[in-house]
């Protein structure tokens, strides 16, 4: 497939935002159980939510560049019964709304006790919004990943590993961002968040490596024999019906050499996993510069990872477009 | 239930591209149009087509065969492109099984083209909506046309009658008979899309001649050795001299 930068930015921005929100609410949950010191509501949760919201808005903005008719984008909310893309379009604004309310509640220090749990733990609006936001964050990860994983023709994507990767890589970048942000806004949480960022990054390495391993061993189901229905081991295309390009030759081919793909693959393995893990290790003591660098490297790595994710997928329609003339 | 479809006979397709040009001619002016071209007279022309004719070479020299392969939307009975559409712009008509795109609802997200294993959909660069074969839905029901003209434009144009059009759910239709009796097959059956369009394979006419059809093994004169056995090169008269 031809990697579209609009979609690369969309999925990486919102993935980091979802991960950041999950990190904020994880910290809040630990603090509620007195496992962590309570950070400043405005400085950490308020600004953190705003940062997540800004990333979501950037992602949403990027997604419009993918559309031929962005002014009709509202129509995409109609077919949620069958289309994962439609579901994503519904969940994304819902998540943005909850992140906004969550940030607002923290910003206004609005903590009326709604319910007290049997354990004596008070539940305030931020806890309720946090739980709803967490559910929506995971739902959004699943929707985004299933857009790709549900296409059975694209064997590289058609796997539960795709969903695992979107959840883990988005969360990893979000937790790394949260650690860098905490170094400025809530230094007492840096160790906790950087630790989790490293754990999720390591888990992401396992699932992404598993999908690379799987994809390297795929056997294509379709061949020219099934594509044109002629049973012969040697079929060669002599003409694809036109001399210039077409949508089919532009949208489904990345046009890079195998060597470039290999460089990008090793580049993102270093950029998403190895280098950020080292930097997170150095940043455990709370250096904002090191942690910011860790996020910058990991986010850049994720851009390469997403590019590779699209480029690696080999569409069966390409069988029909192997030779110009 | 009706499922309109094309049946394309690869045995008679000569690869002339008449279906391609007549399709473009009709549809660029019809309800599906315009089918925009970019840079049509430049070095790198491109444009929207609903139908392409490709050419494949099967086998190795000298035992090769050239297969001309017309390719358009197959109007699958289980179209994978329809459920993925987020707006409902892609739909399959209940009444005749034609898969269509509503150009006023399409947002040009290209997702349906990813979900089609055949590459049958093309984004129109000019209109920024997804386009594909309509089976000339604006022709086949047009009562102002002669009945003979109420067929897809490609079918009308084909000089070798390689393209048949009809309802594959009607067992007596010309397409059903062709599929049933001439070995019609679907493309990429492995994906379970159940394409409505079918292709008829290349066919060779061969007769099998057995040796005893050339030589009368049961000729009693020969069996009884009552006649001399002439050499193979000599003229023979059946029942007089024998082979």
């Amino acid at each position: 497939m031809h990697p579209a930068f609009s979609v690369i930015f969309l999925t990486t921005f919102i993935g980091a935002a979802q991960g950041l929100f999950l990190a904020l609410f994880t910290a809040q949950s630990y603090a509620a159980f007195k496992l962590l010191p309570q950070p400043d509501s405005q400085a950490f949760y308020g600004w953190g939510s705003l940062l997540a919201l800004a990333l979501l808005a950037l992602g949403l903005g990027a997604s419009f560049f993918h559309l031929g008719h962005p002014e009709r984008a509202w129509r995409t909310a109609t077919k949620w019964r069958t289309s994962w893309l439609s579901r994503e379009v519904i969940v994304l604004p819902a998540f943005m709304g909850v992140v906004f309310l969550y940030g607002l509640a923290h910003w206004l220090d609005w903590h009326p006790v709604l319910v007290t749990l049997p354990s004596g733990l008070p539940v305030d609006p931020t806890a309720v919004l946090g739980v709803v936001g967490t559910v929506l964050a995971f739902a959004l990860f699943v929707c985004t990943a299933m857009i790709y994983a549900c296409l059975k023709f694209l064997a590289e994507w058609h796997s539960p590993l795709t969903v695992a990767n979107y959840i883990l890589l988005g969360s990893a970048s979000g937790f790394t961002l949260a650690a860098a942000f905490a170094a400025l806004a809530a230094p007492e949480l840096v160790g906790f968040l950087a630790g989790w960022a490293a754990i999720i990054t390591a888990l992401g390495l396992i699932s992404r490596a598993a999908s690379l391993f799987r994809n390297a061993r795929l056997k294509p189901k379709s061949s020219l024999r099934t594509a044109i229905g002629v049973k012969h081991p040697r079929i060669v295309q002599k003409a694809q019906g036109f001399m210039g390009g077409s949508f089919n030759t532009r949208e489904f081919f990345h046009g890079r050499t195998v060597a470039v793909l290999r460089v990008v693959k090793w580049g993102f393995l270093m950029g998403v996993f190895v280098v950020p893990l080292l930097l997170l290790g150095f940043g455990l003591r709370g250096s904002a510069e090191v942690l910011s660098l860790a996020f910058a490297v990991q986010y850049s790595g994720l851009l390469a990872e997403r590019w590779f994710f699209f480029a690696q997928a080999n569409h069966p329609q390409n069988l029909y477009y192997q030779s110009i003339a | 239930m009706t499922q309109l479809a094309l049946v394309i006979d690869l045995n008679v397709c000569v690869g002339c591209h008449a279906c391609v040009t007549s399709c473009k001619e009709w549809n660029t002016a019809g309800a599906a149009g315009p089918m925009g071209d970019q840079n049509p007279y430049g070095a790198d022309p491109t444009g929207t087509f609903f139908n392409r004719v490709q050419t494949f070479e099967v086998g190795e020299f000298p035992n090769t065969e050239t297969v001309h392969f017309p390719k358009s939307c197959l109007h699958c009975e289980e179209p994978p492109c329809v459920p993925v559409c987020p707006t409902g712009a892609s739909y399959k008509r209940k009444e005749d099984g034609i898969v269509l795109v509503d150009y006023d609802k399409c947002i040009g997200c290209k997702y349906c083209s990813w979900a089609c294993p055949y590459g049958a959909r093309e984004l129109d660069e000019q209109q920024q909506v997804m386009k594909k074969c309509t089976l000339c839905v604006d022709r086949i029901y047009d009562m102002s046309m002669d009945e003979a003209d109420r067929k897809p434009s490609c079918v009308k144009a084909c000089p070798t009658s390689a393209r048949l059009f009809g309802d594959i759910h009607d067992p007596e239709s010309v397409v059903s008979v062709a599929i049933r009796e001439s070995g019609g097959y679907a493309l990429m059956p492995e994906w379970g899309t159940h394409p409505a369009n079918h292709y008829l394979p290349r066919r060779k006419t061969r007769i099998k001649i057995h040796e005893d059809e050339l030589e009368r093994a049961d000729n009693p004169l020969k069996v009884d050795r009552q006649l001399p056995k002439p050499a193979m090169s000599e003229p023979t008269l059946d029942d007089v001299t024998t082979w």
Side-chain angles (χ1 to χ4, degrees):
Chain A
M1 303 291 289
H2 179 80
F5 273 92
S6 48
V7 181
I8 292 176
F9 280 114
L10 162 72
T11 56
T12 50
F13 275 138
I14 65 171
Q18 288 157 262
L20 175 58
F21 178 81
L22 291 176
L24 294 179
F25 188 60
T26 307
Q28 184 185 337
S29 307
Y30 272 68
F33 287 101
K34 311 270 187 282
L35 298 168
L36 277 179
Q38 189 65 260
D40 183 65
S41 199
Q42 269 188 19
F44 184 63
Y45 299 118
W47 281 105
S49 301
L50 190 66
L51 184 56
L53 210 52
L55 286 171
L56 289 167
L58 279 173
L60 188 63
S63 74
F64 280 96
F65 287 95
H66 190 65
L67 303 182
H69 280 280
E71 78 282 4
R72 299 176 186 167
W74 60 272
R75 288 186 181 275
T76 51
T78 54
K79 287 289 164 185
W80 51 271
R81 283 188 189 83
T82 59
S83 173
W84 283 103
L85 180 53
S86 182
R87 289 169 199 164
E88 187 193 36
V89 169
I90 293 168
V91 175
L92 177 56
F95 179 62
M96 289 176 81
V98 171
V99 173
F100 173 75
L101 293 177
Y102 176 83
L104 191 70
H106 272 298
W107 189 264
L108 300 175
D109 253 331
W110 192 47
H111 298 297
V113 176
L114 300 174
V115 191
T116 306
L117 293 183
S119 57
L121 198 71
V123 175
D124 65 5
T126 61
V128 175
L129 287 167
V131 170
V132 174
T134 302
V135 171
L136 286 176
F138 276 99
L140 185 52
F141 275 133
V142 172
C143 288
T144 310
M146 281 307 290
I147 288 174
Y148 309 105
C150 77
L151 299 173
K152 58 184 171 181
F153 321 114
L154 288 152
E156 289 84 353
W157 296 348
H158 187 54
S159 153
L161 285 170
T162 303
V163 182
N165 286 332
Y166 271 79
I167 293 175
L168 289 170
L169 300 185
S171 301
S173 62
F175 269 78
T176 308
L177 177 59
F181 172 66
L184 302 169
E188 64 274 22
L189 299 181
V190 169
F192 171 77
L193 291 168
W196 271 113
I199 290 168
I200 301 170
T201 301
L203 290 174
L205 175 59
I206 293 170
S207 89
R208 193 64 179 97
S211 76
L212 286 176
F213 184 83
R214 170 187 178 271
N215 291 352
R217 280 153 190 77
L218 287 174
K219 285 200 177 63
K221 260 191 180 179
S222 293
S223 64
L224 264 183
R225 285 191 287 285
T226 66
I228 68 168
V230 176
K231 183 80 181 162
H232 197 290
R234 192 182 177 280
I235 304 173
V236 183
Q237 186 167 40
K238 291 294 175 186
Q240 59 187 13
F242 49 88
M243 305 289 282
S246 78
F247 174 74
N248 305 73
T249 61
R250 290 188 293 269
E251 180 73 4
F252 299 95
F253 294 89
H254 53 77
R256 308 283 173 204
T257 59
V258 180
V260 171
L261 249 70
R262 199 177 299 133
V263 168
V264 174
K265 181 176 80 179
W266 286 105
F268 88 70
L269 284 173
M270 298 304 285
V272 178
F273 305 108
V274 180
V275 176
L277 276 174
L278 292 173
L279 290 172
L280 283 168
F282 288 125
L284 277 175
R285 293 202 198 95
S287 157
E289 290 82 8
V290 173
L291 289 171
S292 303
L293 184 64
F295 175 71
V297 171
Q298 192 166 44
Y299 184 77
S300 314
L302 277 176
L303 294 178
E305 189 274 336
R306 226 28 64 84
W307 186 92
F308 185 83
F309 171 78
F310 287 106
Q312 196 190 27
N314 191 18
H315 200 288
Q317 78 104 37
N318 293 4
L319 291 167
Y320 295 107
Y321 298 93
Q322 311 227 329
S323 168
I324 289 171
Chain B
M1 272 276 283
T2 305
Q3 173 65 63
L4 296 180
L6 295 171
V7 169
I8 296 166
D9 191 347
L10 298 184
N11 199 45
V12 291
C13 175
V14 292
C16 69
H17 290 247
C19 54
V20 178
T21 49
S22 72
C23 166
K24 179 104 171 177
E25 188 274 336
W26 172 264
N27 283 299
T28 201
M35 291 160 74
D37 288 323
Q38 286 75 44
N39 205 16
Y41 303 105
D44 198 16
T46 185
T48 311
F49 285 78
F50 295 169
N51 184 25
R52 309 271 193 184
V53 177
Q54 305 189 321
T55 302
F56 294 88
E57 188 176 85
V58 177
E60 210 153 350
F61 181 80
N63 297 316
T64 55
E65 199 167 346
T66 304
V67 176
H68 298 294
F69 180 80
K71 173 176 169 293
S72 57
C73 172
L74 305 172
H75 299 279
C76 297
E77 303 206 48
E78 297 289 338
C81 52
V82 168
V84 302
C85 176
T87 68
S90 263
Y91 62 105
K92 184 171 177 70
R93 282 163 46 119
K94 284 215 165 52
E95 62 270 33
D96 54 15
I98 301 180
V99 178
L100 287 178
V101 180
D102 183 338
Y103 303 144
D104 294 328
K105 280 188 185 168
C106 176
I107 57 165
C109 72
K110 312 180 195 84
Y111 192 31
C112 56
S113 73
W114 295 11
C116 170
Y118 307 101
R121 293 172 163 253
E122 300 189 13
L123 187 86
D124 189 300
E125 292 291 334
Q126 190 179 322
Q127 277 187 296
Q128 287 296 318
V129 293
M130 197 54 73
K131 296 203 171 174
K132 57 177 280 302
C133 163
T134 65
L135 273 184
C136 285
V137 70
D138 51 349
R139 265 187 87 94
I140 57 179
Y141 297 111
D142 188 345
M143 291 303 164
S144 68
M145 283 184 174
D146 286 343
E147 197 178 343
D149 287 331
R150 286 180 224 147
K151 285 177 178 175
S153 169
C154 56
V155 175
K156 292 287 295 176
C158 182
T160 61
S161 303
R163 304 174 76 93
L164 309 173
F165 171 67
D167 173 16
I168 59 163
H169 284 182
D170 169 9
E172 299 312 318
S173 69
V174 59
V175 282
S176 292
V177 171
I179 294 168
R180 201 162 61 232
E181 296 181 356
S182 305
Y185 62 87
L187 304 181
M188 292 189 189
E190 61 272 21
W191 299 118
T193 53
H194 301 289
N197 282 14
H198 282 67
Y199 287 78
L200 304 183
R202 306 273 296 185
R203 295 180 290 283
K204 293 234 165 65
T205 309
R206 289 197 180 89
I207 51 168
K208 177 83 181 163
I209 300 173
H210 297 276
E211 215 168 316
D212 64 341
E213 290 170 313
L214 297 173
E215 177 183 336
R216 278 195 58 183
D218 59 342
N219 189 329
L221 295 175
K222 181 184 168 190
V223 172
D224 299 346
R225 290 173 180 274
Q226 287 178 356
L227 287 172
K229 194 174 183 181
M232 276 294 273
S233 56
E234 286 178 27
T236 60
L237 260 176
D238 204 16
D239 292 351
V240 179
T241 66
T242 68
W243 267 115

